[in-house]
Amino acid sequence: MHISASLSLAALVMASFTAQSQVAPQAQLATPQVAQVVAQTPPMGWNSWNYFAGRVDDKGIRAAADQVVATGMKDAGYIYVNIDDTWEGERDASGVLHPNAKFPDMKALADYVHSKGLKIGIYSSPGSKTCGGYAGSLGHEEQDARMYAEWGIDYLKYDMCSFIPDVMEKQAPNDKPAQMRLMIAAYSKMDKALKVTGRPIVFSFCQYGWDSVWEWGPSVGANLWRTTGDVTPEWDRIYAIVSQQEGLEAYAGPGHWNDPDMLEVGNGKLSLEENRTHFTMWAMLAAPLLAGNDLPNMKPEIKAILTNRDVIAIDQDRLGKQGARIYSDGEVEVWTRHLAGGALAIAVVDAGDSRYSTHPFHLNLHKLGLTGKQTGKNLWTGKTVELTDNMPLELASHDVLLVRVDKPNSQLQ
Ligand code: GLA
């Protein structure tokens, strides 16, 4: 968003909230917010849900923060430690939401995470209940946003869940377009509430891609938006999600990203190849990199994947241009991502399991807009590679070849 546009939006937001007199005196007196520069590259961090789900607690979040530092993940760029669902307790008579017994002191926890040089995220819903059945923010949006800011929260994942039956289906039965308008208004409401706090808070939309959120999300404050339903640690689900990202590349850019959901690297029974391909494709997609594994028990080979700086550099490339699928040949797909300084990342994925050396895949450089020999770096072996037109490539099932070519020889030259 342009700074001038966000400043005028800021003025409007301040005016409307002041008029409603719904904010606490200190918030009314707060300096009007300036443009919040967050998520200029896809957010990186760790989230509790994919591995711990309802077992997350204060101790686990502290341990995760410790591990993000100890494993070198922080140095590699992982900054947000995000508490997902199941932290919420009950609201008191003044409507203040208290954390449940698993989180005795949220402010102290935030201070601890910050003391490690990290940032902290939290989770809520525009409905009365979260997906896990805990208290959501419906009717308490400003109050909750203020509380997050007081705790020192840096990131909010806002998950639609019970807003569907609570509001959309109740207020607009059988009227999908009206339901979608209610949904958009709910996200906009929390965006304004967050902005009024004056604290830079990354706003993560979790409404599973409904109503082509990539088209309207950024205009109501989304820094990232889920494009699909939930990821699971299974190859078929991960590959299905990758396939659903095709065509969405136009909507991503600094400050606003497509979110194909959090990482499952290191979870379930994913093979090493599958973990590598999953991480590669999230980097090609300029996706948020939110690890979701059991950090205190992370295996060295998983740490090596999550901290591969060359691959992270693809994800975090400052141009912020999401990669695209250029062509496929049977179950082999070729994706490219244009990088700052004219470099190109090329990912060749063997999504199938039935191609053998009698019929290896042949790379077509012309389809990638390239001509002649390309010298690059294989980002998973660290070795220099040369790509030539029609060269045979043998890839194990569900494995990937990821090459960065800093000076591509393009057909236009
Ligand atoms: C939904 C979201 C998940 C997670 C759970 C928590 O399913 O998509 O990412 O936040 O809710 O209940």
Side-chain angles (χ1 to χ4, degrees):
M1 187 189 293
H2 295 297
I3 289 184
S4 57
S6 52
L7 279 175
S8 51
L9 178 67
L12 272 176
V13 168
M14 286 305 290
S16 76
F17 272 79
T18 308
Q20 289 169 29
S21 294
Q22 285 179 346
V23 285
Q26 69 269 28
Q28 287 182 19
L29 292 174
T31 320
Q33 94 270 16
V34 289
Q36 306 292 0
V37 182
V38 292
Q40 290 304 286
T41 58
M44 288 180 66
W46 177 90
N47 173 292
S48 59
W49 184 256
N50 282 356
Y51 184 81
F52 291 99
R55 288 170 290 131
V56 64
D57 60 8
D58 177 282
K59 212 166 136 244
I61 293 295
R62 285 171 193 254
D66 292 346
Q67 289 302 309
V68 169
V69 176
T71 56
M73 287 174 71
K74 179 186 168 212
D75 289 341
Y78 295 84
I79 291 298
Y80 293 95
V81 174
N82 292 350
I83 307 166
D84 208 277
D85 202 358
T86 81
W87 64 267
E88 310 87 340
E90 304 295 326
R91 290 193 188 274
D92 63 22
S94 331
V96 175
L97 178 61
H98 295 271
N100 59 40
K102 296 191 296 169
F103 290 89
D105 186 341
M106 209 52 111
K107 172 90 175 73
L109 178 57
D111 288 348
Y112 182 79
V113 172
H114 288 150
S115 77
K116 303 267 156 189
L118 301 169
K119 294 179 187 285
I120 185 163
I122 209 153
Y123 166 99
S124 189
S125 169
S128 65
K129 295 265 183 263
T130 65
C131 289
Y134 291 75
S137 292
L138 184 62
H140 297 274
E141 294 82 357
E142 291 85 5
Q143 197 171 25
D144 286 359
R146 267 201 311 278
M147 181 177 72
Y148 302 149
E150 280 160 17
W151 285 344
I153 295 295
D154 306 293
Y155 184 117
L156 173 66
K157 172 174 168 184
Y158 208 42
D159 191 352
M160 194 150 72
C161 273
S162 76
F163 187 78
I164 303 165
D166 280 355
V167 177
M168 290 159 66
E169 287 169 356
K170 212 170 268 170
Q171 289 187 21
N174 306 316
D175 185 347
K176 287 284 176 201
Q179 290 182 8
M180 297 305 137
R181 283 192 288 275
L182 288 165
M183 168 184 73
I184 295 168
Y187 278 88
S188 176
K189 185 170 194 178
M190 183 50 98
D191 174 49
K192 288 171 180 159
L194 291 174
K195 291 219 165 78
V196 163
T197 70
R199 186 175 175 83
I201 297 177
V202 172
F203 195 16
S204 156
F205 286 25
C206 182
Q207 45 79 280
Y208 337 114
W210 280 26
D211 208 26
S212 309
V213 57
W214 40 88
E215 291 183 359
W216 55 267
S219 71
V220 288
N223 296 120
L224 59 152
W225 51 84
R226 279 273 297 278
T227 54
T228 67
D230 288 12
V231 68
T232 57
E234 286 148 325
W235 170 257
D236 286 352
R237 181 66 192 137
I238 288 167
Y239 180 61
I241 288 180
V242 169
S243 305
Q244 283 176 268
Q245 308 312 303
E246 222 186 322
L248 300 188
E249 55 274 6
Y251 300 96
H256 51 97
W257 308 100
N258 290 303
D259 174 11
D261 207 352
M262 303 172 294
L263 293 167
E264 292 282 15
V265 173
N267 286 342
K269 293 195 169 69
L270 292 174
S271 68
L272 208 53
E273 292 81 5
E274 290 166 347
N275 278 309
R276 205 160 36 217
T277 303
H278 174 19
F279 197 66
T280 299
M281 291 314 296
W282 261 235
M284 293 295 284
L285 292 166
L289 296 181
L290 293 167
N293 56 327
D294 178 9
L295 293 182
N297 295 300
M298 176 161 58
K299 295 204 175 100
E301 61 271 26
I302 296 303
K303 178 173 124 178
I305 291 175
L306 288 173
T307 56
N308 182 318
R309 296 203 181 206
D310 285 335
V311 182
I312 291 171
I314 303 292
D315 182 75
Q316 296 288 299
D317 185 78
R318 65 185 156 80
L319 200 57
K321 209 167 162 8
Q322 179 174 324
R325 194 177 80 159
I326 305 301
Y327 77 98
S328 62
D329 174 346
E331 293 168 302
V332 178
E333 302 197 349
V334 185
W335 292 66
T336 64
R337 181 170 173 188
H338 291 275
L339 305 168
L344 188 70
I346 304 169
V348 185
V349 182
D350 181 0
D353 39 31
S354 58
R355 198 184 264 270
Y356 298 100
S357 55
T358 49
H359 285 83
F361 170 75
H362 288 261
L363 181 64
N364 186 328
L365 288 181
H366 295 285
K367 286 190 175 163
L368 309 185
L370 302 173
T371 188
K373 192 171 71 182
Q374 313 289 326
T375 305
K377 182 176 179 186
N378 177 330
L379 301 188
W380 286 114
T381 64
K383 295 196 174 124
T384 300
V385 284
E386 283 184 350
L387 301 178
T388 50
D389 193 38
N390 206 34
M391 73 187 285
L393 288 176
E394 285 195 52
L395 287 168
S397 170
H398 304 173
D399 206 354
V400 67
L401 170 72
L402 176 62
V403 176
R404 180 187 180 113
V405 181
D406 277 329
K407 293 192 175 21
N409 295 316
S410 79
Q411 283 159 355
L412 299 174
Q413 283 169 348

